[in-house]
Amino acid sequence: MDKIKLLKDRKSAVIAAGTQIRSQIAALTDEGSFMELSAFSFSENEFFDEGALGEGVVTGFATVEGYPFSIIAQNFAVLSGGMSKANCAKIARALNGAEKNETPVIYLLQTHGVQVGEGVHVMEGIGELLLKATQLKGTVPQYAVILGDVYGSAAALAAICDFVFFLPESALCVNSPLVLSAKAGKNLKKEEVGGYAALKNAGIPAVSVKSIKEVSSSVAKITELLNGAVKEVSEAELNKACPALNKGITAESVCSILEDRIEVGANTSPEIKTSLGRIGGISVAAVVFGEGVLLDALNVKKIKNFAELACCYGLPLITFVDCAGIKPELCVNDSSVLKEITEYLSILDATDTAKIAVVTGKAVGLGYSLFAAKSVGFDYTFALATAQISLFDGAQGAEIEFAEEKADKEKLAERYAQEQADPVHAARGGYLDEIVEPQFIKQYLIMALQTLGK
């Protein structure tokens, strides 16, 4: 038997079965850098009497703009990317290698669910896989790319990841979109069920991209930020003012402070922007509030998850606060908002990551306590000269709070109007490190970051 010819034949069969997925791996990674592992593993699907070449998943190592990654790619050409016990075991082995080598993971996901006929075996495999991916959280970054249809248990794998990239044709669904659409009595396209815009309440750290090439550049950019290396910035740039901030404070004008900014989760609670970027060349994780944001379970969860990401990878957390407290609605009162708040505080308390707050607008009640108070771990708290820090959002709020008591409404109005108008009251108590003219806030942040050694 000609073993060399046999090897070539087997290799040709494996490559032929994965032409499409290998082209996508090639588009994502640096040219010639992909080294495949476990290429010749395969099992037989008894239900279809068909072999799953490579277990229907391609694994290996590659670089993306010079950074090393573990690559795990589902091969949709093999049984529609169907997951099996052996398929899950192969992915879990790749994750063990990523953990051992401290290599970030990129998943290329496309599957219509599990392989028919696997039964309880695949359920055990999925349990093993999801647990392993969960154990990697905070150890190495995990990126998921939703190549097309991702249905069933693989959706849970994507949700574990730190970043999830959605292409225009992506559809991430816990069940078939046809089933979900029919159950809702609608006739929806798959993208309307599980696309980037459709998953606005899922709380997934989503990033919208147009192509695999854009994924490649975004992954490299995020990796560079997470690595925390300080980027060289000129003295002139470090001392440059932001005069636009004196003309008006908006989420967009505040975000302009960030260099190399990339927003995460823009499809969820858009009134709050969560972004990675740099300030003075130093990597940071920034939470930017829109005007007078009121808290609910969904936007607090978004902040909590982003704070966890920052703390896991040692990025300084900066909050730009304009928050008027919790939304006064029955549905919010009967929601998980308070539980999300306590979990957020637990994350702040569990790490010594640098934390800086800038009150850009209102910091009312819990809006101040959660996102600017030194007592919850903020190392520096600044307020812009135009900021408002108070217990209630105006005299009307105070009157409602004390409606059952015989409080002097005129005195309440005078007291809370005065508190709202001037952050000096907070500064007198030692709770603010400085009240800053808006255009100079970036310089203060740079000095604070340098002082904290980040």
Side-chain angles (χ1 to χ4, degrees):
M1 181 182 291
D2 187 340
K3 293 294 184 73
I4 294 177
K5 181 178 182 305
L6 181 61
L7 173 62
K8 289 180 177 179
D9 290 344
R10 286 172 172 168
K11 185 172 285 188
S12 296
V14 169
I15 291 173
T19 303
Q20 179 63 25
I21 191 62
R22 291 171 200 281
S23 70
Q24 289 166 321
I25 292 172
L28 174 71
T29 60
D30 297 336
E31 185 177 356
S33 69
F34 180 62
M35 182 179 74
E36 188 171 355
L37 300 175
S38 304
F40 295 107
S41 60
F42 71 94
S43 59
E44 190 82 10
N45 184 289
E46 295 180 5
F47 192 86
F48 290 110
D49 193 27
E50 184 179 336
L53 290 172
E55 301 303 354
V57 61
V58 178
T59 61
F61 294 99
T63 59
V64 177
E65 295 193 19
Y67 292 104
F69 289 90
S70 293
I71 306 295
I72 296 170
Q74 289 181 311
N75 187 356
F76 194 72
V78 175
L79 299 173
S80 299
M83 299 180 75
S84 65
K85 177 71 164 65
N87 174 292
C88 292
K90 182 174 178 179
I91 297 173
R93 284 197 302 273
L95 292 181
N96 285 329
E99 182 178 35
K100 182 179 179 180
N101 297 308
E102 297 183 349
T103 311
V105 179
I106 301 177
Y107 303 92
L108 298 175
L109 301 180
Q110 190 172 17
T111 174
H112 278 173
V114 300
Q115 292 183 25
V116 177
E118 279 276 321
V120 70
H121 303 295
V122 69
M123 292 190 285
E124 282 286 347
I126 288 168
E128 176 191 9
L129 168 58
L130 296 180
L131 179 61
K132 188 66 212 177
T134 301
Q135 290 169 341
L136 281 187
K137 278 191 75 68
T139 302
V140 296
Q142 296 179 83
Y143 305 82
V145 185
I146 312 303
L147 291 177
D149 303 345
V150 177
Y151 304 157
S153 302
L157 178 60
I160 292 169
C161 293
D162 300 298
F163 305 93
V164 184
F165 294 93
F166 282 78
L167 295 160
E169 63 272 21
S170 298
L172 183 69
C173 308
V174 292
N175 299 105
S176 165
L178 293 174
V179 173
L180 295 172
S181 181
K183 286 280 188 182
K186 298 178 180 179
N187 183 21
L188 301 173
K189 296 179 181 178
K190 63 178 184 178
E191 293 85 0
E192 294 176 300
V193 177
Y196 173 80
L199 297 179
K200 58 183 181 297
N201 297 320
I204 291 172
V207 181
S208 178
V209 291
K210 294 178 181 177
S211 67
I212 287 288
K213 278 296 182 187
E214 191 177 343
V215 173
S216 182
S217 60
S218 296
V219 165
K221 187 174 178 180
I222 291 170
T223 301
E224 191 173 73
L225 291 168
L226 294 182
N227 284 348
V230 178
K231 193 173 182 179
E232 188 94 23
V233 179
S234 69
E235 195 70 28
E237 190 64 33
L238 289 175
N239 294 313
K240 187 178 178 181
C242 304
L245 293 176
N246 276 11
K247 298 176 181 177
I249 306 298
T250 64
E252 286 70 27
S253 64
V254 171
C255 285
S256 68
I257 292 173
L258 297 171
E259 308 136 22
D260 301 324
R261 174 177 170 256
I262 184 163
E263 187 173 358
V264 180
N267 60 333
T268 300
S269 299
E271 69 275 12
I272 294 172
K273 296 182 181 296
T274 47
S275 304
L276 301 177
R278 289 190 176 88
I279 293 180
I282 300 171
S283 296
V284 299
V287 178
V288 180
F289 287 73
E291 185 178 353
V293 171
L294 290 166
L295 301 175
D296 57 30
L298 193 59
N299 58 28
V300 175
K301 184 176 182 178
K302 178 177 180 175
I303 297 168
K304 177 197 75 176
N305 290 344
F306 190 71
E308 183 179 31
L309 174 73
C311 292
C312 278
Y313 298 108
L315 292 179
L317 178 66
I318 303 180
T319 57
F320 294 90
V321 185
D322 191 349
C323 178
I326 296 181
K327 190 178 294 183
E329 293 181 3
L330 282 173
C331 61
V332 175
N333 189 63
D334 183 26
S335 74
S336 62
V337 64
L338 297 178
K339 186 173 184 296
E340 297 294 346
I341 284 171
T342 58
E343 290 179 358
Y344 159 78
L345 290 172
S346 295
I347 290 166
L348 294 191
D349 184 56
T351 68
D352 59 358
T353 301
K355 304 171 190 72
I356 303 171
V358 180
V359 182
T360 59
K362 295 179 179 180
V364 177
L366 280 174
Y368 173 84
S369 299
L370 297 176
F371 308 115
K374 291 186 176 296
S375 55
V376 300
F378 282 89
D379 302 287
Y380 287 96
T381 300
F382 303 110
L384 301 187
T386 51
Q388 303 171 4
I389 300 174
S390 62
L391 183 58
F392 301 104
D393 190 11
Q396 186 179 10
E399 289 176 15
I400 292 171
E401 187 73 13
F402 296 106
E404 302 297 320
E405 301 178 24
K406 295 181 179 179
D408 187 318
K409 292 185 179 182
E410 287 188 8
K411 287 184 178 179
L412 279 175
E414 182 182 349
R415 176 180 174 184
Y416 287 103
Q418 186 182 20
E419 280 194 5
Q420 267 197 311
D422 198 346
V424 166
H425 291 276
R428 284 174 181 167
Y431 303 123
L432 295 181
D433 293 287
E434 186 62 90
I435 300 172
V436 183
E437 184 180 340
Q439 68 171 330
F440 299 124
I441 189 58
K442 185 170 182 177
Q443 287 96 317
Y444 279 90
L445 289 171
I446 292 170
M447 286 188 289
L449 289 165
Q450 291 174 340
T451 302
L452 292 167
K454 300 295 181 182

